[in-house]
Structures are given as structure tokens and as C-alpha cells.
């Protein structure tokens, strides 16, 4: 869109390359009167969805788990493009990679994480080709113990 | 909108094609919502002969509004990206016999900082 651009009655104009925030346009008609409209350009949602891990065995504080997730169609600049990903332990201080991988929006992935600890925080991070970084925290804590308790049949003597 | 006219002596009956919202002698007030043609026939109150009446018309143009709509197509893919997209459409009065509102002209655009 350029200043001075003419629009006919009912003509649709597509405006792209907009950054996040409020975008306003003022248009003048043939009488010289002006009309203004503002719209908010938001950031799209995180494309990481359905992040899920298997759980540590009840009573253990470390072990191997399986982490799965899928990526969503949230933006035309991202969908269909490749990404690089990694899973790292945020609480270690070193942010050392546990797993690295590649993928293509939209897809589903499953990764094995060896020797994770129940108290650590693990982060799934993917970086799209256009430079966007998306992260999601993995929660693999003690829900398994609660679930195990709930699912254990109670025997009355 | 107030319309007033002058007719020579005597008393007259005024018949408008649109009913005035108020009347004060030979002054009539209208509140039209759309462009229209007002017509008045003035008839002598004392002589109903056809040749004792007259008709006048006036075109009244009500300034039209315009409908300006912007619709979000997609937001930005992440912070610091400038890949948001919107569509804009504007429509106004056209083909009514009065001056069309189009062509419209983009005179300003304010982008987020």
C-alpha cells in the first residue's frame, strides 16, 4: 500500500509485511472527507501442540521417557518450511542439548530422553527458517504417582 | 435543514412530497436521511383554480458515509517479524445520480513502531 494510492468503490486491498501492534489507515473520498480505521496485528499462537511425555515409574526420581509433540499451521510464513529443534534441560544451567532434530511444519515427532530427573525442567525448542523460536516446557513430574495411586485397586480385607 | 421561500400576498396552502418535521409560516424544516428531491406545490388558499398554483423542486443531497473495513488475515509469526497481513475494503455511494464517493485515496497509514 502506498500513500496516494487510489481505490475504487468496493475494491479490496491486501496489506502485508505488517509488524505486531496497531495499524491505522486513513482514506479520503471524492468529496474530501476522510475515514479512518485501526486494527491490531497480533502474534500468532505457539505452533507447538500436544506436547506429551511418558512418565517416570512411580517411586523413581530418574529414568528414560518418551516425548512427543506436533507442530501446527499457524502462519503462512512458517507452514511447509523446515525447522531445527532441540530438547534441553533448562535447570542445568548449561542448557546442554539432550536431543537435536529437524522437522517440517506441520508434523508430529517422538523423541527418547534418557536419564531424565523428576525435578528437572526440560524445554522443547524449535526454530523456523524465518528465524522464529518457539518453546514449550515439558512437565514429566510426579503425576504418574498420583495416577498410579488412583488406578491401584483397593482391596478390603 | 431549513427551507424558506417567498410568495406574493395572500395566504397559501403548501403541499410537500415529503412531510416537514416542523413548519413556521412559509418556513419548513426537513430532516432527510437520504438524498432526495423535495417538491412543493403552492396553492392559493382562496382560489383553487389550477392557474393559481405553482410547483417548485429542489434536489437535496445528504452527504453519504463510507464503510471502511479492515480484516485480519494473519498476525505476525513471532516477535520482531513483520509478516502480518490484513485486507481493506471501502465502499461508498455510487450510481445514485449524485457525485460518486469513489475514487478513494489512501492519505495516511500508521504502522506499529
Amino acid at each position: 500500500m502506498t500513500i496516494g494510492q487510489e481505490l475504487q468503490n468496493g475494491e479490496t486491498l491486501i496489506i502485508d509485511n505488517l509488524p505486531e501492534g496497531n495499524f491505522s489507515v486513513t482514506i479520503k473520498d471524492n468529496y474530501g472527507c476522510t475515514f479512518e480505521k485501526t486494527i491490531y496485528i497480533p502474534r500468532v499462537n505457539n505452533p507447538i501442540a500436544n506436547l506429551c511425555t511418558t512418565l517416570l515409574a512411580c517411586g523413581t526420581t530418574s529414568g528414560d521417557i518418551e516425548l512427543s509433540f506436533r507442530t501446527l499451521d499457524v502462519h503462512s510464513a512458517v507452514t511447509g518450511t523446515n525447522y531445527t529443534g532441540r530438547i534441553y534441560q533448562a535447570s542445568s544451567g548449561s542448557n546442554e542439548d539432550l536431543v537435536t532434530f529437524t522437522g517440517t511444519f506441520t508434523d508430529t515427532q517422538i523423541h527418547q530422553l534418557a536419564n531424565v530427573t523428576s525435578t528437572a525442567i526440560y524445554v522443547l525448542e524449535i526454530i523456523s527458517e524465518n528465524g522464529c523460536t518457539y518453546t514449550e516446557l515439558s512437565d514429566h513430574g510426579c503425576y504418574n504417582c498420583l495416577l498410579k495411586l488412583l488406578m491401584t485397586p483397593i482391596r478390603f480385607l | 435543514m431549513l427551507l424558506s421561500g417567498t410568495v406574493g400576498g395572500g395566504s397559501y396552502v403548501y403541499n410537500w412530497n415529503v412531510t416537514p418535521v416542523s413548519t413556521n409560516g412559509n418556513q419548513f424544516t426537513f430532516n432527510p436521511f437520504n438524498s432526495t428531491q423535495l417538491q412543493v406545490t403552492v396553492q392559493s388558499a382562496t382560489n383553487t383554480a389550477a392557474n393559481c398554483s405553482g410547483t417548485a423542486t429542489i434536489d437535496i443531497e445528504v452527504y453519504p458515509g463510507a464503510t471502511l473495513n479492515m480484516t485480519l488475515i494473519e498476525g505476525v509469526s513471532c516477535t520482531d517479524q513483520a509478516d502480518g497481513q490484513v485486507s481493506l475494503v471501502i465502499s461508498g455511494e455510487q450510481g445514485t445520480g449524485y457525485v460518486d464517493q469513489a475514487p478513494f485515496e489512501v492519505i495516511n497509514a500508521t504502522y506499529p513502531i
Side-chain angles (χ1 to χ4, degrees):
Chain A
M1 186 185 66
T2 54
I3 303 303
Q5 182 173 356
E6 279 196 352
L7 295 171
Q8 296 307 313
N9 196 48
E11 182 179 349
T12 299
L13 181 65
I14 303 298
I15 306 157
D16 47 24
N17 300 324
L18 295 172
E20 182 180 3
N22 284 321
F23 171 66
S24 299
V25 172
T26 306
I27 290 180
K28 183 176 74 174
D29 71 4
N30 214 7
Y31 292 78
C33 283
T34 58
F35 305 90
E36 183 178 345
K37 199 82 172 182
T38 298
I39 191 170
Y40 179 71
I41 312 297
R43 200 181 325 151
V44 299
N45 293 328
N46 192 333
I48 300 173
N50 295 67
L51 178 60
C52 187
T53 62
T54 56
L55 301 170
L56 294 171
C58 187
T60 63
T61 56
S62 65
D64 300 342
I65 63 168
E66 195 173 78
L67 181 149
S68 63
F69 68 94
R70 69 189 183 100
T71 55
L72 303 177
D73 175 8
V74 293
H75 198 281
S76 60
V78 171
T79 299
T81 67
N82 297 328
Y83 64 84
T84 58
R86 66 177 185 136
I87 299 167
Y88 64 94
Q89 183 183 339
S91 50
S92 70
S94 64
N95 289 353
E96 186 179 348
D97 294 342
L98 298 178
V99 178
T100 60
F101 52 89
T102 59
T104 303
F105 294 97
T106 57
D107 62 1
T108 299
Q109 300 217 16
I110 300 175
H111 296 282
Q112 308 297 321
L113 302 182
N115 201 28
V116 300
T117 56
S118 61
T119 55
I121 297 171
Y122 295 91
V123 179
L124 165 64
E125 175 188 275
I126 60 177
I127 302 175
S128 60
E129 283 183 347
N130 72 340
C132 287
T133 300
Y134 305 104
T135 58
E136 194 73 66
L137 296 180
S138 166
D139 189 346
H140 58 283
C142 57
Y143 295 111
N144 57 333
C145 294
L146 179 60
L147 189 64
K148 185 88 173 179
L149 284 171
L150 289 172
M151 294 181 69
T152 302
I154 299 172
R155 180 179 294 172
F156 295 97
L157 297 175
Chain B
M1 176 186 60
L2 176 69
L3 290 178
S4 64
T6 303
V7 288
S11 58
Y12 298 90
V13 175
Y14 301 88
N15 286 308
W16 291 92
N17 65 334
V18 175
T19 305
V21 293
S22 66
T23 300
N24 179 20
N26 66 342
Q27 293 187 331
F28 304 90
T29 301
F30 297 88
N31 188 17
F33 293 106
N34 300 298
S35 297
T36 188
Q37 185 183 66
L38 291 179
Q39 183 179 74
V40 63
T41 299
V42 183
Q43 175 75 52
S44 167
T46 56
N47 186 345
T48 57
N51 61 357
C52 283
S53 72
T55 298
T57 60
I58 184 171
D59 290 331
I60 304 299
E61 184 172 8
V62 175
Y63 184 79
T67 304
L68 172 59
N69 281 323
M70 275 203 291
T71 306
L72 180 71
I73 297 175
E74 62 182 352
V76 294
S77 55
C78 63
T79 304
D80 297 332
Q81 288 290 335
D83 50 13
Q85 194 176 56
V86 299
S87 70
L88 177 154
V89 62
I90 184 164
S91 20
E93 186 179 75
Q94 161 176 279
T96 58
Y98 298 95
V99 177
D100 286 354
Q101 279 185 279
F104 298 93
E105 180 186 349
V106 178
I107 59 170
N108 191 39
T110 305
Y111 293 82
I113 298 172

